[in-house]
Structures are given as structure tokens and as C-alpha cells.
Amino acid sequence: MRILITGTNSWIWKALKEALNSKHEIWKISKNISKDGNFFQCNLSEKEEIEKLDFGNTIFDVLIFNAGVWYYWEFFSQEMANYEEIIKLNLFSPIRLLKKLEHNINKDTKIIFMWSIASKKFMKHGCVYLASKFGLRWFAWGLKEEWKKVYIINPKIVDTDFHKGKIVLPENVKSIGVKDVVWVFEEIIDWKENRFEIDL
Ligand SMILES: NC(=O)c1ccc[n+]([C@@H]2O[C@H](COP(=O)([O-])OP(=O)(O)OC[C@H]3O[C@@H](n4cnc5c(N)ncnc54)[C@H](OP(=O)(O)O)[C@@H]3O)[C@@H](O)[C@H]2O)c1
């Protein structure tokens, strides 16, 4: 299968790469230059950069929307520009990129959103992040009505460095392993998982 994935310096991506690279043809979109594999450089927060992407006649079997930013701020402590950056990447960029990919998918293409339990549960000091994840969750639900092969994965805390330096997690908060997340992706790609929304 030919898979296109966004956000490829992430911890989750690194684990996915190990699991998928040998079996599938992987294409990546990253803000930073990458030397391994098929790669498009694009700052997904910038609409002009998405518009400039050229995928030619390539048809992708799977799209994985993974790029996203998170923060831990009191709402009134930050400038509006910081919040706009979050909304641009987490909410607008998947919609804009999917529109751009209209002629690079076919009726069997699977669209997978690597999303978050934050789209369903409240948490302190993250209200704009919550808004971005919640907004895209409903986009995915709506899209599912038109395009049957849409999936959304909502992990809670994944055992990664995503939170390091931002918050200290209470001892009773359980995280899930990266391998659990990767396993769900593999199940979807192999047509073994049919649920639309999967909470981990
Ligand atoms: N880790 C967790 O506990 C957890 C829990 C629930 C949900 N999630 C979700 O999982 C996804 C991946 O998270 P992660 O834990 O792997 O985080 P991460 O290590 O911080 O990775 C975030 C990714 O987003 C990409 N990115 C950031 N700004 C970008 C931009 N302007 N343009 C293009 N790409 C950009 C980065 O890719 P490049 O550097 O290659 O550009 C990076 O690979 C996110 O959507 C996150 O919300 C994570």
C-alpha cells in the first residue's frame, strides 16, 4: 500500500515507520528536511505551502493525519498569535491538505486521523488544543457520512516525550505504549479494524 503521513519527526511516527516501512511504500510530509524515503517539505501551518504541494498522478491508499502541536498554558497568559498557530496546524491543515489531495485518492483510500482523547474529555490549561481536536473530530464524523473509510484514533497519554518539560503527570495517570497505537494503525491498514472511532 502507498501511505502518506504528516508529521514525521514525532515519536509516534518513528514507531510507525519501524512497523510499516518494510511492508508498505511510505510518503511523508514534514516541516523539516528528511533524508530517508519519499518526502515533501511543507510547513502545514502555512496555507501557501500546502497549495504549492504537487503530488502528480500518485494515488495514495492510506492518508494518516498525524502532525499536531500541544501546549500547557493558562488561557490568558498567551498572545492570540500562539493560539492561531495551533488552530492552523491542528484544525485547518488536515482539511486543506485533504482538499488538495482530491485527485490523489480513490474510493478505497483510507483516511486516518491520529487524534486525541482531548477531543472528548476536558483538561486544564489546554482549551485551544481541546477546541482544535474537538473541531476536527466532528469534521471526521461528518466526512464519514460521505466517505466510508474514515477512521479516528484517540489515544490518551502516549508514552512519549510529547509532554516532557510541559507538565509532570500525576503518578496515577496511566499512559499507553506506542506499540498499542501502532497496532491499531496496522489493523486498519490490513482491513481488520472496522470501527470508525477508536479510543485508546
Ligand atoms: N504523545 C501523546 O501523548 C499524544 C496523545 C494523544 C494524541 N497525540 C497526537 O499525536 C500526534 C503526534 O504527536 P506526537 O506525540 O508524535 O508529537 P510530537 O513528537 O511533538 O510530533 C508532532 C509532529 O507534528 C509535526 N509538526 C509540527 N508542526 C508542524 C508544521 N507546522 N508543519 C508540519 N508538521 C508539523 C512535527 O513534524 P516535523 O518536525 O517533521 O515537521 C512532529 O512530527 C499529534 O496530533 C498529537 O496531538 C499525542
Side-chain angles (χ1 to χ4, degrees), residues 36 41 64 98 115 135 155 180 183 187:
D36 69 308
Q41 188 176 11
I64 301 177
L98 183 57
W115 236 231
D180 300 318
W183 182 76
E187 292 281 289

Side-chain angles (χ1 to χ4, degrees), residues 9-10 30-32 43-44 66 129 133 156 158 162-163:
N9 277 319
S10 73
S30 173
K31 192 174 53 180
N32 300 303
N43 180 346
L44 291 168
N66 171 63
Y129 177 74
K133 293 285 179 180
K156 39 184 187 276
V158 188
F162 195 61
H163 315 89

Side-chain angles (χ1 to χ4, degrees), residues 22-60:
S22 57
K23 293 183 241 161
H24 304 285
E25 182 186 320
I26 312 277
W27 293 63
K28 303 173 289 176
I29 297 182
S30 173
K31 192 174 53 180
N32 300 303
I33 290 179
S34 162
K35 288 193 181 124
D36 69 308
N38 306 309
F39 154 75
F40 299 96
Q41 188 176 11
C42 177
N43 180 346
L44 291 168
S45 297
E46 301 300 329
K47 73 175 182 186
E48 295 76 14
E49 291 204 21
I50 297 180
E51 292 308 328
K52 271 195 267 168
L53 284 168
D54 183 359
F55 302 105
N57 297 323
T58 308
I59 298 292
F60 297 104

Side-chain angles (χ1 to χ4, degrees), residues 6-13 29-32 42-46 65-70 85 89-90 114-117 129 133 154-163 166:
T6 67
T8 55
N9 277 319
S10 73
W11 299 94
I12 288 167
W13 153 250
I29 297 182
S30 173
K31 192 174 53 180
N32 300 303
C42 177
N43 180 346
L44 291 168
S45 297
E46 301 300 329
F65 293 90
N66 171 63
V69 280
W70 181 77
E85 283 305 306
L89 182 67
N90 293 4
M114 170 67 200
W115 236 231
S116 170
I117 205 69
Y129 177 74
K133 293 285 179 180
N154 295 318
K156 39 184 187 276
I157 304 284
V158 188
D159 195 10
T160 63
D161 278 357
F162 195 61
H163 315 89
K166 293 181 181 164

Side-chain angles (χ1 to χ4, degrees), residues 76-94:
F76 288 111
S77 71
Q78 297 295 315
E79 298 297 324
M80 194 54 209
N82 291 338
Y83 295 132
E84 280 171 4
E85 283 305 306
I86 290 163
I87 297 285
K88 275 200 275 182
L89 182 67
N90 293 4
L91 179 58
F92 282 161
S93 81

Side-chain angles (χ1 to χ4, degrees), residues 114 153-160 173-182 184 199-200:
M114 170 67 200
I153 302 174
N154 295 318
K156 39 184 187 276
I157 304 284
V158 188
D159 195 10
T160 63
V173 170
K174 287 206 178 107
S175 57
I176 55 158
V178 171
K179 283 202 167 80
D180 300 318
V181 181
V182 170
V184 172
D199 295 345
L200 290 172

